[in-house]
Amino acid sequence: MPESSGPMRRTPETLVIDFRAAEQLLAARDPRGAVKLLDPVIAAHPENTAARLLRARAFFAAAQLRPAELEFTIVLEREPDNAFAHFALARTYERAGRPQEAVRHFRLAAALDPCPEYVAAARFDE
Protein backbone atom coordinates (compact mmCIF):
# COMPACT_ATOMS: atom_id res chain seq x y z
CA MET A 1 0.00 0.00 0.00
CA PRO A 2 1.53 3.35 -0.97
CA GLU A 3 2.33 5.81 1.75
CA SER A 4 -0.02 8.79 1.56
CA SER A 5 1.69 11.14 3.97
CA GLY A 6 4.55 12.33 1.73
CA PRO A 7 4.78 14.05 -1.62
CA MET A 8 4.49 11.80 -4.63
CA ARG A 9 7.90 10.72 -5.90
CA ARG A 10 8.60 12.50 -9.17
CA THR A 11 10.44 10.60 -11.90
CA PRO A 12 12.09 12.23 -14.91
CA GLU A 13 9.12 11.06 -16.97
CA THR A 14 6.50 12.57 -14.64
CA LEU A 15 8.46 15.83 -14.57
CA VAL A 16 8.37 15.98 -18.37
CA ILE A 17 4.64 15.26 -18.29
CA ASP A 18 4.18 18.04 -15.71
CA PHE A 19 6.18 20.45 -17.89
CA ARG A 20 4.08 19.64 -20.98
CA ALA A 21 0.85 19.86 -19.00
CA ALA A 22 1.96 23.24 -17.62
CA GLU A 23 2.48 24.47 -21.20
CA GLN A 24 -1.08 23.38 -21.99
CA LEU A 25 -2.50 25.04 -18.87
CA LEU A 26 -0.76 28.30 -19.71
CA ALA A 27 -2.12 28.12 -23.27
CA ALA A 28 -5.57 27.48 -21.78
CA ARG A 29 -5.22 30.59 -19.61
CA ASP A 30 -4.68 28.79 -16.30
CA PRO A 31 -1.35 30.31 -15.23
CA ARG A 32 -1.77 29.42 -11.55
CA GLY A 33 -2.32 25.78 -12.47
CA ALA A 34 0.81 25.94 -14.62
CA VAL A 35 2.86 27.33 -11.72
CA LYS A 36 1.66 24.51 -9.44
CA LEU A 37 2.82 21.92 -11.96
CA LEU A 38 6.15 23.64 -12.54
CA ASP A 39 7.10 24.06 -8.87
CA PRO A 40 8.11 20.38 -8.42
CA VAL A 41 9.86 20.38 -11.81
CA ILE A 42 12.03 23.32 -10.77
CA ALA A 43 12.54 21.93 -7.26
CA ALA A 44 13.93 18.75 -8.83
CA HIS A 45 15.90 20.57 -11.55
CA PRO A 46 16.59 24.19 -10.53
CA GLU A 47 18.99 24.53 -13.46
CA ASN A 48 16.22 23.88 -16.01
CA THR A 49 15.99 27.19 -17.83
CA ALA A 50 13.03 26.14 -19.99
CA ALA A 51 10.96 25.34 -16.91
CA ARG A 52 11.96 28.62 -15.28
CA LEU A 53 11.05 30.57 -18.40
CA LEU A 54 7.66 28.86 -18.56
CA ARG A 55 7.07 29.55 -14.85
CA ALA A 56 8.05 33.19 -15.38
CA ARG A 57 5.52 33.45 -18.20
CA ALA A 58 2.88 31.87 -15.96
CA PHE A 59 3.63 34.30 -13.13
CA PHE A 60 3.36 37.20 -15.60
CA ALA A 61 0.04 35.90 -16.93
CA ALA A 62 -1.22 35.64 -13.34
CA ALA A 63 -0.11 39.26 -12.72
CA GLN A 64 2.41 38.06 -10.12
CA LEU A 65 4.99 40.56 -11.30
CA ARG A 66 7.66 40.19 -8.62
CA PRO A 67 7.96 36.37 -9.00
CA ALA A 68 7.91 36.83 -12.80
CA GLU A 69 10.72 39.38 -12.57
CA LEU A 70 12.80 37.04 -10.41
CA GLU A 71 12.36 34.09 -12.77
CA PHE A 72 13.10 36.14 -15.92
CA THR A 73 16.21 37.51 -14.17
CA ILE A 74 17.42 33.99 -13.35
CA VAL A 75 16.91 32.97 -16.97
CA LEU A 76 18.90 36.00 -18.16
CA GLU A 77 21.73 35.29 -15.72
CA ARG A 78 22.08 31.91 -17.45
CA GLU A 79 21.20 33.03 -20.98
CA PRO A 80 22.06 36.72 -21.36
CA ASP A 81 21.41 36.49 -25.11
CA ASN A 82 17.81 35.27 -24.71
CA ALA A 83 15.89 37.96 -26.58
CA PHE A 84 12.48 36.66 -25.52
CA ALA A 85 13.47 36.74 -21.82
CA HIS A 86 14.63 40.36 -22.19
CA PHE A 87 11.37 41.25 -23.95
CA ALA A 88 9.25 39.50 -21.33
CA LEU A 89 11.19 41.08 -18.46
CA ALA A 90 10.65 44.46 -20.14
CA ARG A 91 6.89 43.78 -20.31
CA THR A 92 7.01 42.85 -16.62
CA TYR A 93 8.75 46.13 -15.75
CA GLU A 94 6.28 48.01 -17.94
CA ARG A 95 3.31 46.51 -16.08
CA ALA A 96 5.00 47.29 -12.76
CA GLY A 97 5.32 50.98 -13.68
CA ARG A 98 9.11 50.90 -14.16
CA PRO A 99 9.47 52.37 -17.67
CA GLN A 100 13.21 53.11 -17.62
CA GLU A 101 14.05 49.50 -16.80
CA ALA A 102 11.52 48.33 -19.39
CA VAL A 103 13.06 50.37 -22.22
CA ARG A 104 16.54 49.00 -21.44
CA HIS A 105 15.35 45.41 -21.81
CA PHE A 106 13.15 46.16 -24.83
CA ARG A 107 16.26 47.57 -26.53
CA LEU A 108 18.38 44.58 -25.54
CA ALA A 109 15.71 42.26 -26.95
CA ALA A 110 15.62 44.20 -30.22
CA ALA A 111 19.41 44.23 -30.48
CA LEU A 112 19.51 40.46 -30.01
CA ASP A 113 16.57 39.73 -32.32
CA PRO A 114 15.39 42.56 -34.59
CA CYS A 115 11.90 41.11 -35.07
CA PRO A 116 9.26 43.81 -35.66
CA GLU A 117 7.57 43.38 -32.25
CA TYR A 118 10.84 43.84 -30.34
CA VAL A 119 11.99 46.77 -32.49
CA ALA A 120 8.64 48.56 -32.10
CA ALA A 121 8.71 48.10 -28.32
CA ALA A 122 12.32 49.35 -28.14
CA ARG A 123 11.25 52.83 -29.31
CA PHE A 124 14.69 53.61 -30.75
CA ASP A 125 13.27 56.79 -32.30
CA GLU A 126 12.65 58.41 -28.91
Side-chain angles (χ1 to χ4, degrees):
M1 181 173 217
E3 184 181 320
S4 62
S5 63
M8 188 170 84
R9 186 175 181 288
R10 309 307 292 165
T11 66
E13 293 78 16
T14 57
L15 293 172
V16 169
I17 291 167
D18 286 347
F19 179 86
R20 297 295 178 215
E23 287 179 318
Q24 295 301 315
L25 285 175
L26 188 56
R29 301 184 188 270
D30 182 3
R32 286 184 169 81
V35 167
K36 286 179 187 171
L37 284 177
L38 290 166
D39 286 345
V41 174
I42 292 169
H45 300 283
E47 75 290 351
N48 187 317
T49 304
R52 287 193 175 276
L53 189 56
L54 186 60
R55 187 164 70 170
R57 290 175 49 218
F59 280 136
F60 180 83
Q64 295 179 0
L65 301 182
R66 183 67 181 139
E69 176 188 348
L70 292 173
E71 288 293 344
F72 286 129
T73 300
I74 290 169
V75 169
L76 287 169
E77 286 171 359
R78 296 174 185 175
E79 297 180 3
D81 60 345
N82 187 320
F84 174 78
H86 280 289
F87 183 77
L89 179 58
R91 286 277 184 237
T92 303
Y93 285 142
E94 189 175 61
R95 276 178 82 178
R98 296 160 64 185
Q100 292 82 8
E101 291 164 288
V103 167
R104 176 176 176 266
H105 285 279
F106 280 136
R107 290 181 176 173
L108 285 166
L112 291 164
D113 179 357
C115 76
E117 184 180 17
Y118 295 175
V119 171
R123 299 186 290 271
F124 286 117
D125 54 350
E126 289 182 12

